[in-house]
Amino acid sequence: MEIHDLGDGEPEVAVVGAIHGDEPCGARAVERLLDAGLDPERPVRLIVANEAALDAGERYLDADLNRAFPGNPDAEAHEVRLAAELVGALEGCTTFAIHSTQSYAEPFAVIDSMDEVTRAVAPHLPVDAVIQTDAFTEGRLIEHPHTLEVEAGLQGSEAAADNAYWLARAFLAATGAISAPGADDVLDAGGREDVSVFRLRERIPKPDAEAYEVFARNFERVEPGERFAAADGEPLLADESFYPVLLSSNGYRDQFGYVADRVGTLE
């Protein structure tokens, strides 16, 4: 794990990249933040988490790090030990973890619950949606207090790497660590309340098949009876209306994505 501390004192906010080794956008954002010569008003910790998996270009070596928290320092699996180390490094920090997907090109935020940190920070992020995942957080870093995740774009793309950097800058501005781009004051980070909030309800399983297709678009309502995917050419129809999230033909081994409800907007 690679750790860089900026500013004076014990870190109060943290940016974490490369929890998954096949998602390099977060590590590249950390590199750009280091190259930017920031002089933060609040002490900041920048972390490249799973260096070994990043070097290997693999999601993980022994176990999925984002299913291994809080970890165990005595475990045999590399990522389970690393999870415990990372939790220790983030103690006392408001944390921003950067990911990327195979299902959606635009950035969106992922939270455990709509707590005070989410309400304060999320409106300042350049995202069009916030996903509440409280029913599906077991073993994920997002269970750590005062933690937000963001999906920066399509895995391995230049756009995701660029998005990750500006998302991290926006997070640091929203937490008062740096000035917003074009702002003179660290508190002048702007904000908006029209960001849609979705809550995950259930997984969408994949039937056994050789080939999969997806027809619905993430965050766009699917109506009852509408074809949203297919397995070996056999259509899958919606039993009821829902909003698909992280819907992809190849993002997950055993599921297409998630059924979600739109529960409102940030207020």
Side-chain angles (χ1 to χ4, degrees):
M1 185 166 65
E2 178 184 319
I3 298 177
H4 302 271
D5 289 345
L6 306 178
D8 298 326
E10 193 67 22
E12 298 174 357
V13 294
V15 175
V16 182
I19 285 177
H20 292 135
D22 60 352
E23 299 174 11
C25 61
R28 292 181 60 182
V30 168
E31 292 173 3
R32 284 184 67 179
L33 290 170
L34 291 171
D35 290 342
L38 302 178
D39 184 19
E41 295 291 321
R42 299 177 66 189
V44 173
R45 175 160 285 175
L46 306 176
I47 298 177
V48 177
N50 200 344
E51 290 182 279
L54 183 65
D55 290 342
E58 300 289 345
R59 183 175 177 86
Y60 55 82
L61 300 186
D62 299 324
D64 190 331
L65 177 57
N66 211 27
R67 303 295 184 272
F69 293 100
N72 182 341
D74 300 318
E76 292 187 9
H78 163 68
E79 279 83 5
V80 180
R81 296 192 307 273
L82 182 59
E85 185 180 354
L86 183 54
V87 166
L90 295 174
E91 185 175 357
C93 288
T94 298
T95 299
F96 190 67
I98 301 172
H99 293 269
S100 54
T101 80
Q102 296 185 38
S103 61
Y104 195 68
E106 301 302 319
F108 60 91
V110 182
I111 61 170
D112 180 5
S113 60
M114 190 60 67
D115 61 13
E116 68 279 4
V117 173
T118 300
R119 293 186 184 280
V121 174
H124 303 285
L125 301 178
V127 298
D128 290 326
V130 173
I131 312 303
Q132 185 175 340
T133 65
D134 52 330
F136 302 95
T137 59
E138 186 175 357
R140 293 176 58 174
L141 179 61
I142 203 169
E143 290 185 312
H144 183 75
H146 300 169
T147 296
L148 292 85
E149 291 183 356
V150 71
E151 300 287 353
L154 293 176
Q155 186 174 315
S157 68
E158 288 297 320
D162 194 50
N163 290 341
Y165 172 70
W166 290 109
L167 285 159
R169 293 280 307 229
F171 166 77
L172 293 174
T175 52
I178 65 172
S179 298
D184 296 325
D185 190 285
V186 294
L187 298 179
D188 184 12
R192 43 196 282 257
E193 298 179 353
D194 61 342
V195 178
S196 294
V197 179
F198 299 84
R199 186 171 187 265
L200 300 189
R201 188 187 343 143
E202 59 187 75
R203 295 180 174 89
I204 305 173
K206 275 182 176 176
D208 289 334
E210 295 294 326
Y212 300 99
E213 298 173 90
V214 164
F215 307 113
R217 294 179 180 273
N218 282 287
F219 306 116
E220 294 186 11
R221 184 183 174 97
V222 174
E223 299 297 341
E226 185 177 342
R227 181 185 67 162
F228 64 87
D232 283 344
E234 195 69 29
L236 302 178
L237 307 180
D239 294 328
E240 56 184 336
S241 63
F242 72 96
Y243 289 88
V245 172
L246 290 170
L247 191 70
S248 171
S249 59
N250 57 4
Y252 297 98
R253 181 178 55 83
D254 57 355
Q255 68 185 74
F256 280 107
Y258 293 90
V259 167
D261 299 311
R262 187 179 182 276
V263 296
T265 58
L266 293 177
E267 297 178 357

